Amino acid sequence: MITGNIDGIKKTILDRLESLYDLVIDNDMYFSQELVEEINSITVLIKKELCVVINRRGKITGISVGKISSAEIPAIEASGRKLSGYRVVHTHPSGDSRLSSMDTSALLNLKLDA
């Protein structure tokens, strides 16, 4: 299920996003080339941020569409003092690869692996 700001997004784009759930990322990688190329391509088309959550087994557990300058992280279960077991990959339509203060805050507060 794709969450977030999906109003006005064509069904074909939503189908492309849904198909990402079929990808499995190798455990020794943060993300795959295929994942990055597809979310980059879709971001260019819709001009909105995309956020993808991946668990430690390499399974995509959540995908969210944001606005042009932000995206909500799909729900993750974080408990205890350890890292959450999830990593997040998200796009910036502006092309700026630097982490924003919101990115850094989410990384720390949600105890993301990466």
Side-chain angles (χ1 to χ4, degrees):
M1 177 175 170
I2 308 303
T3 61
N5 187 16
I6 61 172
D7 292 338
I9 297 178
K10 294 179 182 179
K11 182 175 177 354
T12 56
I13 299 294
L14 292 174
D15 290 344
R16 284 175 64 184
L17 288 169
E18 284 286 346
S19 72
L20 294 176
Y21 282 107
D22 296 331
L23 293 178
V24 177
I25 313 304
D26 289 339
N27 288 342
D28 60 342
M29 300 177 70
Y30 288 110
F31 49 81
S32 69
Q33 186 70 28
E34 183 179 1
L35 172 65
V36 171
E37 287 175 358
E38 185 66 357
I39 64 175
N40 182 56
S41 172
I42 293 170
T43 294
V44 169
L45 288 172
I46 66 174
K47 296 174 180 55
K48 296 178 183 181
E49 285 195 9
L50 295 175
C51 184
V52 177
V53 177
I54 307 165
N55 68 18
R56 285 190 183 150
R57 291 182 299 261
K59 180 76 178 135
I60 293 174
T61 63
I63 300 172
S64 176
V65 177
K67 299 175 184 174
I68 194 160
S69 62
S70 66
E72 281 192 30
I73 296 174
I76 61 172
E77 296 177 23
S79 62
R81 294 182 177 203
K82 297 180 181 181
L83 293 175
S84 67
Y86 295 92
R87 56 193 181 269
V88 173
V89 177
H90 84 99
T91 59
H92 289 183
S94 67
D96 186 355
S97 63
R98 293 176 293 173
L99 293 178
S100 68
S101 60
M102 284 177 41
D103 294 338
T104 305
S105 177
L107 182 64
L108 296 171
N109 293 334
L110 296 174
K111 300 177 184 176
L112 297 173
D113 290 7

